[in-house]
Amino acid sequence: MHAPHFTTDASSNGIRERDFTVGGVPGILWSPASGADRAPLVLMGHGGGHHKKHPAMAGRAQRLVTGGGFHVAVLDAPGHGDRPRSAEDEREIAALRGAQAAGEPEGPIVVRYNARLAQAAVPEWRAALDALQGLPEIGADGPVGYVGIGLGTAIGVPLVAVEPRITAAVYVCTWPDVLIEAAQRITVPIEFDLQWDDERIPREASLALFDAFASKEKTLHANAGMHLELPRFEADSAVRFFVRHLGGAVAPAA
Amino acid sequence: MHAPHFTTDASSNGIRERDFTVGGVPGILWSPASGADRAPLVLMGHGGGHHKKHPAMAGRAQRLVTGGGFHVAVLDAPGHGDRPRSAEDEREIAALRGAQAAGEPEGPIVVRYNARLAQAAVPEWRAALDALQGLPEIGADGPVGYVGIGLGTAIGVPLVAVEPRITAAVYVCTWPDVLIEAAQRITVPIEFDLQWDDERIPREASLALFDAFASKEKTLHANAGMHLELPRFEADSAVRFFVRHLGGAVAPAA
């Protein structure tokens, strides 16, 4: 087992931020600055084209750390953030840009690209979880959750399907096509966000993915609005979801 | 305009509870026991076969008063609670019980029955709102919300469609069949709860009702579970929804 190799350590506004690598994969760990006690860990998978410190990640991490007292870890996905792109990554991204520019369907390209990245990312996440659970403030038997956005959902559905240590997950919808089978193997509580007027992902396909989860407790939050218009109150809802399922204490929203 | 005629007045656990009648219709008003300041008003419509003080109403009222600082009013629906049943009510209820006992579809009976009650209840609610807004602690220009459960949704959709003083609504799903047209005239923010595995109301019909609301801000909360298994955390979500849209302050859950 690799221990996380920490490269930075800074605290501000009550949040401790540490860059690390595990087996060469760069990540970030946000924690309560005050906390010496153990706290649950929430893993977050960033969206396609984003990276571990994208504002969508930093903003959710801030809410999870200050609102729930959680540790929050994000890894750069393969070919994202501080990681090099392969020739195949470059070809796929060029094909995607080409399809978008031509007004052609992007779904088939994104689905193929995300599925390839997920295959690489799932073992990286499991190794990172091994390493993070070696830290005394997280521990080997503490509760673990997962939040995925877009690509982070494409990685997180197969990850949670095979990783019994993750006991609750929030997914912000991505192209659901190849995820149904993995979703059918997931039984932990799920909160699933989709945009009702998504101009890129077909509504029926997203509803079918929600339907596929075998979880006894699952909640769909469908909000009016387009692909990029997920309301910010859903990030607060995710904090409450993890407080319910992982434990922790909700502080009033800032 | 009728003023509300108060018949009881008692306070306990920080909540003031007053029975009243308006134009002969019995209702209940729950308020913060401490409050002399004006606060928003939330109207609640109870479910079929229930009444104004049913635990589903009292429990939500407790959360709304202590969590949001709101006033909460419930009226007995026609033929419910302290109100007499007409011969037509008795016939419909007998038909419903017969269909349920025989395992025949109850939907057509419920839809017809609810629609008839709604026609009577909408003007009753508007008169009650006139009266309640005459109270200094509510006021004529304060924000007003509506919560409906089942029959309360069948009444509340046509009510909100014609009542501009109601600026936010939470609906727990009912048979949606005859509500589509009224929903299409509603533009205020909506939170809409349905049960994903509802054994009585078809999922596709409920999704079509959510789709019909013309509201720019609307959120569907679909939870795994059967008709009567709405999770309690949705009652807390409704409090936060009204705090966002009517103002008020969320206290931590008890």
Side-chain angles (χ1 to χ4, degrees), chain A residues 196 211 218-220 222-224, chain B residues 196 211 218-220 222-224:
Chain A
W196 194 249
D211 196 46
K218 58 180 179 180
T219 305
L220 170 68
N223 284 284
Chain B
W196 194 248
D211 196 45
K218 59 180 178 180
T219 304
L220 169 69
N223 284 284

Side-chain angles (χ1 to χ4, degrees), chain B residues 16-243:
Chain B
R16 184 180 185 188
E17 176 177 313
R18 287 176 281 180
D19 290 282
F20 67 86
T21 62
V22 173
V25 177
I28 185 163
L29 179 62
W30 283 290
S31 304
S34 58
D37 294 343
R38 284 195 177 189
L41 172 64
V42 177
L43 312 174
M44 293 203 303
H46 64 73
H50 292 180
H51 58 83
K52 61 185 178 302
K53 295 185 188 180
H54 187 277
M57 295 289 102
R60 282 182 178 260
Q62 191 268 333
R63 285 172 159 89
L64 286 160
V65 172
T66 61
F70 302 120
H71 300 279
V72 179
V74 190
L75 298 182
D76 277 336
H80 284 71
D82 295 328
R83 304 181 67 178
R85 286 183 185 167
S86 68
E88 198 171 356
D89 291 337
E90 299 287 3
R91 275 196 303 276
E92 299 265 39
I93 291 164
L96 177 61
R97 298 279 171 267
Q100 287 170 337
E104 288 164 5
E106 60 184 336
I109 301 167
V110 178
V111 167
R112 183 181 64 215
Y113 178 62
N114 284 358
R116 183 170 61 78
L117 297 194
Q119 205 163 13
V122 166
E124 294 172 356
W125 269 114
R126 303 190 77 179
L129 182 52
D130 290 344
L132 292 166
Q133 287 194 323
L135 299 174
E137 66 269 36
I138 293 176
D141 52 1
V144 182
Y146 184 92
V147 179
I149 298 181
L151 169 62
T153 293
I155 293 169
V157 171
L159 173 62
V160 175
V162 298
E163 180 47 80
R165 290 176 289 183
I166 301 174
T167 56
V170 173
Y171 294 120
V172 179
C173 197
T174 183
W175 280 262
D177 310 53
V178 298
L179 302 175
I180 297 283
E181 203 185 319
Q184 288 169 338
R185 299 202 302 274
I186 291 178
T187 58
V188 301
I190 297 295
E191 189 162 283
F192 184 91
D193 298 330
L194 74 81
Q195 290 296 95
W196 194 248
D197 308 298
D198 198 308
E199 74 284 14
R200 296 165 69 183
I201 303 175
R203 184 189 297 167
E204 288 309 317
S206 297
L207 292 174
L209 178 56
F210 175 69
D211 196 45
F213 290 100
S215 310
K216 195 177 157 204
E217 176 170 344
K218 59 180 178 180
T219 304
L220 169 69
H221 287 183
N223 284 284
M226 296 177 76
H227 187 70
L228 292 177
E229 297 179 338
L230 183 74
R232 296 207 169 190
F233 56 72
E234 291 299 351
D236 296 316
S237 181
V239 176
R240 289 188 298 269
F241 172 83
F242 286 120
V243 168

Side-chain angles (χ1 to χ4, degrees), chain A residues 87-215:
Chain A
E88 197 170 356
D89 291 336
E90 298 288 2
R91 275 196 302 276
E92 298 266 39
I93 291 164
L96 177 61
R97 298 278 171 268
Q100 287 170 337
E104 289 164 5
E106 59 183 336
I109 300 166
V110 178
V111 168
R112 182 181 64 215
Y113 178 61
N114 283 359
R116 183 170 60 79
L117 297 195
Q119 205 163 14
V122 166
E124 293 173 356
W125 269 114
R126 302 190 79 178
L129 181 52
D130 289 344
L132 292 166
Q133 287 194 322
L135 298 174
E137 65 270 36
I138 294 177
D141 53 1
V144 182
Y146 184 91
V147 178
I149 298 180
L151 169 62
T153 293
I155 293 169
V157 172
L159 173 62
V160 175
V162 298
E163 179 49 78
R165 289 175 290 183
I166 301 174
T167 56
V170 173
Y171 294 120
V172 179
C173 197
T174 184
W175 280 263
D177 309 53
V178 298
L179 302 175
I180 297 284
E181 202 185 321
Q184 289 169 337
R185 297 201 303 274
I186 291 177
T187 58
V188 300
I190 297 294
E191 190 162 283
F192 185 90
D193 299 330
L194 74 82
Q195 290 297 94
W196 194 249
D197 309 298
D198 197 307
E199 74 283 14
R200 297 166 68 182
I201 302 176
R203 185 189 296 166
E204 289 310 317
S206 296
L207 292 174
L209 178 56
F210 174 69
D211 196 46
F213 289 100
S215 311

Side-chain angles (χ1 to χ4, degrees), chain A residues 3 23 30 33 36 45 50 63 70 76-77 105 118 162-163 176 191 201 204 212 232 247:
Chain A
W30 283 290
H50 291 181
R63 285 171 159 90
F70 301 121
D76 279 333
V162 298
E163 179 49 78
E191 190 162 283
I201 302 176
E204 289 310 317
R232 295 206 172 190

